[in-house]
Amino acid sequence: MKLTKYEHACMVITKGDSLLVIDPGGYTTPLSDLDGVVAIVITHEHADHWTSEQLDRLLDRNPDARIFAPGGVVAVAMSYKIESVKAGDKIEVEPFSLKFFGEKHAVIHKSIPVVDNVAVLVDDTFYYAGDSYTVPDVPVGTLAVPVGAPWLKIGEVMDYVAEIAPKKAIPVHEAVLSVVGRQMANARVETVTVAGGGEFFALDAGESLDL
């Protein structure tokens, strides 16, 4: 199984000839050439994690792909056939196994509504919590770690990584950072990942990692 990072929060997991797409959002270059997509996971409704244009591109080439998202996404994307998921749900989409955790997006500010957000664990190996610090109650092989966001403080990210103690970690959600800011955030996350016995891989868009 292989993980390929795209810009910002989008990732594609490949297993044989089958693809799982996570968070095809507006900060990601157009996903116009992906075939074999069996499922799409959207963690929450914000546009940097999904857009109708990205879904249309994926569905044009993969009309049978199943889409999973929390209730907030289902409510705002009614023109699509989206299966609502919540914490505790377990779904098999051959050849992938999906488990969902958490309920809400991290707080940005008290004046901004907190939207639905789900975390996903793929094949009991790869974990991504969307825009949250949801810690699963199971071991994590590879963790996707948000490193730049309006809701994010790097010290809280470090505590989050330390609590999970993944074997591998990659930084995501960094489109809002400058080059210097990204380097600084990566260094902090790498330090705590290594301290917990794991390895850190600072993937650029288009680069892959074996899971």
Side-chain angles (χ1 to χ4, degrees):
M1 189 162 67
K2 180 179 70 174
L3 165 72
T4 301
K5 186 189 182 309
Y6 285 70
E7 293 87 358
H8 197 56
C10 183
M11 291 155 279
V12 175
I13 298 176
T14 304
K15 194 173 183 181
D17 295 327
S18 299
L19 276 60
L20 167 68
V21 179
I22 300 175
D23 280 358
Y27 295 178
T28 301
T29 53
L31 301 170
S32 303
D33 59 353
L34 295 181
D35 294 315
V37 177
V38 297
I40 302 164
V41 172
I42 300 170
T43 60
H44 63 283
E45 64 193 72
H46 292 158
D48 57 327
H49 291 259
W50 87 280
T51 65
S52 58
E53 292 83 3
Q54 292 283 39
L55 281 189
D56 289 344
R57 294 180 185 109
L58 292 169
L59 294 174
D60 282 347
R61 299 180 73 101
N62 307 275
D64 296 326
R66 296 170 67 182
I67 307 173
F68 303 99
V73 176
V74 176
V76 299
M78 297 179 64
S79 62
Y80 297 93
K81 183 180 178 181
I82 300 177
E83 301 176 50
S84 181
V85 289
K86 61 185 184 304
D89 287 346
K90 300 178 181 179
I91 297 173
E92 299 292 328
V93 186
E94 289 297 332
F96 300 102
S97 171
L98 308 176
K99 296 179 181 178
F100 295 92
F101 300 80
E103 297 180 356
K104 294 296 180 180
H105 191 288
V107 174
I108 301 172
H109 186 264
K110 62 184 179 180
S111 66
I112 300 174
V114 177
V115 300
D116 293 340
N117 180 99
V118 292
V120 61
L121 178 67
V122 182
D123 283 8
D124 294 318
T125 299
F126 173 73
Y127 183 74
Y128 176 52
D131 284 9
S132 79
Y133 297 121
T134 299
V135 175
D137 56 358
V138 295
V140 171
T142 302
L143 175 67
V145 184
V147 295
W151 51 271
L152 184 154
K153 179 181 177 181
I154 198 63
E156 293 174 345
V157 173
M158 293 170 72
D159 289 341
Y160 167 71
V161 175
E163 185 172 358
I164 293 178
K167 295 179 181 177
K168 299 177 183 178
I170 67 164
V172 297
H173 211 284
E174 72 281 71
V176 297
L177 297 178
S178 67
V179 172
V180 172
R182 182 181 177 188
Q183 291 171 344
M184 183 182 300
N186 285 354
R188 300 292 185 269
V189 175
E190 181 174 16
T191 297
V192 73
T193 301
V194 172
E199 296 180 90
F200 181 78
F201 300 87
L203 301 182
D204 289 322
E207 293 184 334
S208 299
L209 178 69
D210 289 329
L211 302 177

